[in-house]
Each structure stands twice: as structure tokens, then as C-alpha cells.
Amino acid sequence: MPDQPAASIPADPVSEQALATEKPRMSLSRRLFIGAVIWSLIVVVGGVIAMTVTYRAQTLRLLQQELDSTLVTLPRALDILPDGRVVDIEERLPSDARFNLPLSGRYWAMIAVEEDGELGNDIRSQSVWDGPLPISRELADAALANPGITQYGNYQGPNDEHLRSAVRSITVPNRENPILLVAAADREATDEGANQLRFILVVTMTTLAAGTLLALWIGLQVALRPFARVRTHITDVREGRRARLDGNYPVEVLPLTDELNKLLDNNRAVVERAQTHVGNLAHALKTPLAVLRNEASGNTPLDDVVRRQSESMRTNVEHYLKRAQAAARSEALGVRTEISPVLDGLVRLLNRLFERDGVEVVSKVKAGSYMRVEQQDLEEMMGNIMENACKWANSRVEVSVQRGDNGLMEIHVDDDGSGLSPEERTAAVKRGVRLDETAPGTGLGLSIVADIAEMNGGRLVLADSPLGGLRATIALRAA
Amino acid sequence: MKRILASLALSVLVVSPSALAQGQWGSSFSADDARSARERGEIRPLKEILRPISAQYGGNMRYFVGLFEENGRKVYIIDWVTRHGELVQFTINAKTGQIISVS
């Protein structure tokens, strides 16, 4: 069986998928949240850096003050001889026990500077022991360039520790060349403290920021929940489960829902007015048409024309009346009809009617399937389609039901007749086309079915039937 | 003890009997002696001697007894507190860094 394109009149509500395929805009809450995250990052990183740097500088300053006090005491232990020689007075040297323990991390030294700026003999604390002096050449030069001003620097100590060194150049009476005073201390404890502080800051501030962001996120979700509720309610309205937005909304959302309700009411009023107009017009035309038809009972060509044209007008008027009625009914809320009783009734009726033509109608639909459609509309549609099928069938018409996509249910009516070509199918659902002038019927049947299906959010599709003839499918929303 | 700082001065090295010196060890060496000895390669730098001890026993030096001459070799004697809080005295060969005795 070759697959031929099916003709259909699709319902055209704005579907969820169409919305989803649009490029999604970034939500307000997400934008706000991302902004908060970036801001938190800046504050946390900046705050940690600023505090750590400040703390480090402060502790370093304290360490340097200690070094300074050592530098102040050192010269007191110097005794300058008249010939410029310098000797140290042991009992006046700094008394801190750490200066006597080798490689303790606390050092001092006094260095004689030579004529050419080279460092000459020196007196050093016992803690230096056999290690190198805790002073770099650059630091010594800086101190010599700025006599009397203490210079600070970092240097590797005799025990490979990180030292903070303080150096000052002084000149003494009877001596031309300056003497360098050096004091140094292990800065590990200081650095350790700063690192610990940084770690604590990172942990606490990150925790704080994370907690704040979490709270913000939860708050946003809670604040935006009413909108999600409004949205589901609007969906309900669109699908006919609800007439208005009558939930218990927060004050912030009320203006929106009020406006929407007004819009809904207005919309409904407009539709009702239009339907009433159509209905009134159709009613108003019925009587004059009947009169015309009765008056044109003669045999003149004019009578003929009037008869035929007024007949065509009558069918049109009928069609629109039915449409208006169906539309009015489809506005009703929460309608659901079980399909099997309707189909069974039609099957019985049609079997009686078409017994003589040798056509058998069978329904394979089990009880328990409901559709969101007025019973009258369902009867109108199925009656139309099934009767059509019986007219064109050779011997058999089958009715079956099947779950379709998008929450629709499909009722198939199959016949074993000769079927239709794709062009004929397209034409069949266009109003006013008669497929066969000899077949009884107005030629409006299928287009009315398509209209009613559409008004109920469904559609009519014509396709090839497995039985060999035409398959007419009505897809309606399941309930 | 007096040390001469001036470049013109003779470097006078007077070895004074240290109060820390224990009878059987002869006399202890001063920091200046230790530095000269290290520069001549007679002993290894103290930090290199202490590093394996620190790695093995943990803790730190409690008291530095001194550098002594014993049977023609130089030894460091130090009091050490291990990571378990035990106080031990090491005698270490200053040239090789080997621990001679632990008490």
C-alpha cells in the first residue's frame, strides 16, 4: 500500500512545541542570580586578598619593630679604641637566648665595611654558627647608600629558612668606614599566620556567600512560584478546564490576573456576539429561502435556477447554523463524552439502513474511552463520517480507536470502497464540493465535520485505509 | 671574650674555657672556629647535620652543648627533644654527620 499524503485540516492553537523552539530568553531570576554570583566572587576574592595583605603587612611591621629594637641595642656593645679599632663588650650584647642557640632563626651581626665597600670582619651572634651571614649584597648596598636608615629585605637564612632582615649603616667616631648592623628573624611564623588567616577567610566567606546565594535562589523560586501557578491556570483556561483565573494569587500578581480575566471576558463576549450574529442571520435567512423555494415550483428555467440556488443557500445556512451551535457548545467547560455508546448507537442504526446494500458496520471500540467533546458534536461528526463510509463501502466499515500524539485520541473509520486520490481528498474537505453528484448528501458533510473537530481542538484527516478504501480519522483531545 | 672588628686589628682568638664544656671533652670551639673549620672542609655545615636528625626524630634542638675535639675528631653535642617529647643527647661526628652515641 503506497503511502499517500494525507489531507488534513489541522487545528491551529499555539502549541507548546512552537514556543519551545523559539530561542529561550534568559529568565529574570537567572540573570539576578548570576549577577549575585559574580558580585559574591568579587567580594570574596577581593575581601580575602585585601584582608590577608593587610594582616601580612601588619605582622611584618611588628616583626620589623623587633628587628629595629635589636639594631638599636647592638651599637651599645661596641667599644671604639682611639686608633679606630672596634671591639665588642660581651655583656652588653643582646641577651635573647635565641641569639645563642645555633640556627635558632634569630640572628644579628655587625660587619666592618672595607675601603672598597667590601664586607670585612664581622661579629655575629652565636646562632649564626657556621652558616652564612643573613644579608644579601643588594641589601648591604642599599643600607650603605642610605646611612642611618634601616633597610628591610627577605633573605635565605643559615638554616635555609625564610628570613626578614633589617640592615642599617652607622659610622662611629675615629673610623672612616661605616659599620653595618644586621638583625634577622625567621618569618615563617608570620607567614604561617597570614596563610592560616587566608584559609579561614576563604572558608568562612565562601560559606557565607554560598549560604546567601542559596537563600537568594530559594527566595527567587518562592517569589516566582505564583507565576508558574498562573501559567498552569492559563493553560487550564485554554484547554477548557477553567473559565477564569480565580486562584488565590499574591498581591503582586493580582493586577496581571485581573487584566487577563478582563481580556478573557472580553474575548468571550466578542465570540458570543459573533456567534449570535451568525445564528441570527442564518435564522433570518431560513424563512425567506423556504418561501422562495416553495414559490419556484414551476417548470420555467427561472424556477429551475431559483430552486437550485435557494437549495444551495439553504445548505450553506444550515452549515453555519450548525457551526454556531457547535461553537456555543464547545465553550462549555469540562465536557467529556464516552465514545463507545455513541458509536454503538450509530453502528446499530447504520446496519439497519445499509443492510440492503450488503454493507456491514463494525465497531472495535471498547468502553472506557472518553473525549473532550459535547455528545451532540460527536454524534454529528461520527454520523456524518460513518454514513459517508457506508455509502462508498463495498461490504464493510470498521470503526477503531487509537492513542495519537499530543494527548489526542484518534477514531478511525475505514471502508473497503475505492478510496480517493490525494486531490480528491483535499477537495473533499473544502466546503461545497460534491464528490459525486449522484450520491445523496449535501456535499457539506465533511467540511462540517472538519469545522466541528477544529472547534473542539482536534482535526479531520483523510488517508488510505488498510481495508483498501478511505480512512477518515477524527483526532480529538482525550479526557 | 673580646673580638676585634676592625680590619687593621689582628684577629685575636682566645679560647676561653666554656662553662658548658664537660671535663672529658677538652674545650669547645667558638662559632668563629666552627666557621673556619667548615670553610676548610674539616666539618660539615651544622644545618646538614641537623636535617636528617630532624627528619628521623622530629622535634627540635633544645640545647646546644657545643663543638668539641674528642680523640682527634670534632663532634657536635646537642640536646634534642623528639616529637614524642623525649629529651636525648646526641653526639655527632662533625665531619661525617654520623651519630656516634645517643643518650
Side-chain angles (χ1 to χ4, degrees):
Chain A
M1 183 113 268
D3 240 10
Q4 287 173 312
S8 69
I9 296 189
D12 202 14
V14 182
S15 69
E16 301 282 330
Q17 278 168 323
L19 283 175
T21 52
E22 270 182 35
K23 192 164 175 279
R25 296 282 307 274
M26 206 169 191
S27 76
L28 280 176
S29 60
R30 181 168 300 178
R31 261 184 277 182
L32 184 60
F33 188 69
I34 287 175
V37 168
I38 292 170
W39 177 239
S40 307
L41 270 179
I42 293 170
V43 169
V44 168
V45 172
V48 168
I49 289 174
M51 286 193 242
T52 313
V53 165
T54 310
Y55 178 81
R56 204 183 284 273
Q58 182 59 27
T59 49
L60 208 56
R61 202 171 298 128
L62 289 172
L63 193 64
Q64 288 174 184
Q65 273 176 5
E66 250 183 279
L67 297 176
D68 279 346
S69 68
T70 306
L71 287 186
V72 170
T73 58
L74 281 176
R76 294 182 198 155
L78 290 179
D79 191 15
I80 299 103
L81 303 175
D83 62 358
R85 286 185 304 162
V86 180
V87 290
D88 62 313
I89 304 158
E90 210 157 342
E91 52 273 15
R92 287 202 207 157
L93 288 169
S95 57
D96 191 325
R98 285 176 296 181
F99 289 131
N100 293 326
L101 182 65
L103 312 186
S104 65
R106 290 283 169 148
Y107 312 102
W108 59 257
M110 291 185 268
I111 310 164
V113 180
E114 303 278 351
E115 212 57 61
D116 54 4
E118 287 300 312
L119 303 184
N121 288 353
D122 60 66
I123 299 173
R124 54 180 69 200
S125 63
Q126 168 143 320
S127 53
V128 180
W129 197 244
D130 59 355
L133 284 171
I135 178 174
S136 62
R137 185 68 238 191
E138 294 79 30
L139 201 54
D141 290 341
L144 289 171
N146 304 285
I149 298 171
T150 310
Q151 303 292 326
Y152 301 99
N154 297 327
Y155 195 63
Q156 183 132 355
N159 199 18
D160 294 341
E161 67 267 68
H162 293 291
L163 292 180
R164 188 71 175 168
S165 300
V167 186
R168 188 188 299 165
S169 155
I170 58 167
T171 46
V172 292
N174 307 336
R175 260 187 83 86
E176 215 156 302
N177 295 327
I179 291 175
L180 280 185
L181 305 177
V182 183
D186 189 351
R187 52 178 297 178
E188 195 185 337
T190 306
D191 293 346
E192 191 60 36
N195 291 345
Q196 260 174 3
L197 177 80
R198 186 173 54 196
F199 175 74
I200 291 168
L201 280 176
V202 167
V203 170
T204 51
M205 288 186 75
T206 309
T207 312
L208 181 71
T212 311
L213 290 174
L214 184 68
L216 174 71
W217 180 248
I218 291 170
L220 281 172
Q221 296 309 306
V222 170
L224 292 171
R225 198 172 295 154
F227 286 99
R229 209 167 69 225
V230 168
R231 188 184 156 189
T232 54
H233 287 181
I234 290 176
T235 309
D236 286 351
V237 169
R238 205 182 64 216
E239 301 196 336
R241 285 191 293 268
R242 214 179 251 272
R244 315 182 76 227
L245 299 173
D246 47 9
N248 191 1
Y249 306 115
V251 179
E252 291 85 349
V253 187
L254 272 179
L256 174 70
T257 54
D258 284 349
E259 285 304 315
L260 275 170
N261 276 330
K262 282 181 193 151
L263 189 65
L264 283 172
D265 292 344
N266 190 30
N267 197 18
R268 205 169 286 128
V270 168
V271 169
E272 275 171 20
R273 258 208 311 279
Q275 283 169 356
T276 315
H277 282 322
V278 171
N280 288 348
L281 182 64
H283 266 294
L285 286 175
K286 267 175 96 167
T287 317
L289 282 174
V291 171
L292 271 182
R293 215 190 154 291
N294 288 336
E295 288 300 314
S297 54
N299 285 331
T300 60
L302 179 66
D303 283 335
D304 229 27
V305 170
V306 170
R307 256 206 313 276
R308 227 176 319 158
Q309 292 308 317
S310 59
E311 179 65 26
S312 140
M313 281 195 253
R314 197 182 62 80
T315 54
N316 272 312
V317 165
E318 288 281 327
H319 173 80
Y320 281 110
L321 260 180
K322 276 183 185 159
R323 265 202 72 153
Q325 286 157 357
R329 280 196 301 268
S330 71
E331 280 294 311
L333 294 174
V335 289
R336 58 205 292 264
T337 305
E338 189 175 6
I339 56 178
S340 59
V342 173
L343 294 177
D344 292 347
L346 283 168
V347 165
R348 276 196 298 279
L349 177 71
L350 291 170
N351 269 330
R352 270 208 307 281
L353 281 177
F354 289 90
E355 210 175 357
R356 277 175 306 152
D357 304 346
V359 175
E360 186 195 10
V361 190
V362 182
S363 167
K364 295 180 167 179
V365 181
K366 297 187 175 55
S369 298
Y370 289 84
M371 285 187 167
R372 198 171 301 156
V373 61
E374 194 76 44
Q375 181 169 347
Q376 225 176 322
D377 287 351
L378 186 67
E379 280 171 356
E380 175 87 32
M381 290 187 286
M382 295 316 298
N384 239 309
I385 292 183
M386 285 163 73
E387 192 185 355
N388 247 340
C390 290
K391 276 181 209 161
W392 296 94
N394 285 332
S395 62
R396 189 172 174 82
V397 173
E398 273 186 20
V399 185
S400 55
V401 74
Q402 185 188 356
R403 274 218 172 275
D405 46 3
N406 297 338
L408 293 177
M409 280 254 261
E410 295 176 345
I411 309 177
H412 301 302
V413 178
D414 294 301
D415 65 62
D416 58 353
S418 48
L420 291 176
S421 70
E423 297 78 35
E424 286 172 322
R425 283 185 216 150
T426 314
V429 289
K430 282 205 189 124
R431 188 155 27 79
V433 174
R434 300 188 51 171
L435 292 176
D436 186 345
E437 301 290 325
T438 59
T442 63
L444 286 172
L446 285 184
S447 69
I448 285 189
V449 171
D451 277 347
I452 296 176
E454 217 177 307
M455 276 185 289
N456 284 286
R459 61 180 185 268
L460 166 70
V461 183
L462 300 182
D464 284 317
S465 162
L467 298 184
L470 185 72
R471 160 171 280 194
T473 300
I474 289 195
L476 287 169
R477 287 181 298 186
Chain B
M1 165 195 171
K2 291 195 175 186
R3 289 178 280 185
I4 305 291
L5 190 58
S7 54
L8 302 170
L10 303 164
S11 73
V12 184
L13 287 175
V14 182
V15 177
S16 65
S18 167
L20 316 169
Q22 295 157 16
Q24 72 264 40
W25 301 123
S27 45
S28 71
F29 294 92
S30 70
D32 292 340
D33 304 333
R35 185 166 39 144
S36 321
R38 177 182 64 75
E39 281 166 356
R40 288 196 301 268
E42 287 171 21
I43 58 170
R44 289 180 64 196
L46 181 59
K47 66 175 181 191
E48 287 179 22
I49 289 172
L50 294 182
R51 201 171 293 141
I53 293 176
S54 178
Q56 189 182 344
Y57 295 92
N60 49 34
M61 182 160 48
R62 160 64 76 71
Y63 188 73
F64 181 79
V65 181
L67 177 65
F68 301 93
E69 185 90 36
E70 180 206 27
N71 309 333
R73 58 181 177 180
K74 290 190 170 64
V75 292
Y76 275 116
I77 299 176
I78 54 173
D79 289 348
W80 194 274
V81 180
T82 67
R83 65 167 67 89
H84 304 301
E86 300 157 327
L87 182 62
V88 289
Q89 187 171 75
F90 291 114
T91 306
I92 305 155
N93 184 328
K95 190 170 170 62
T96 62
Q98 282 183 311
I99 298 173
I100 298 166
S101 71
V102 182
S103 59

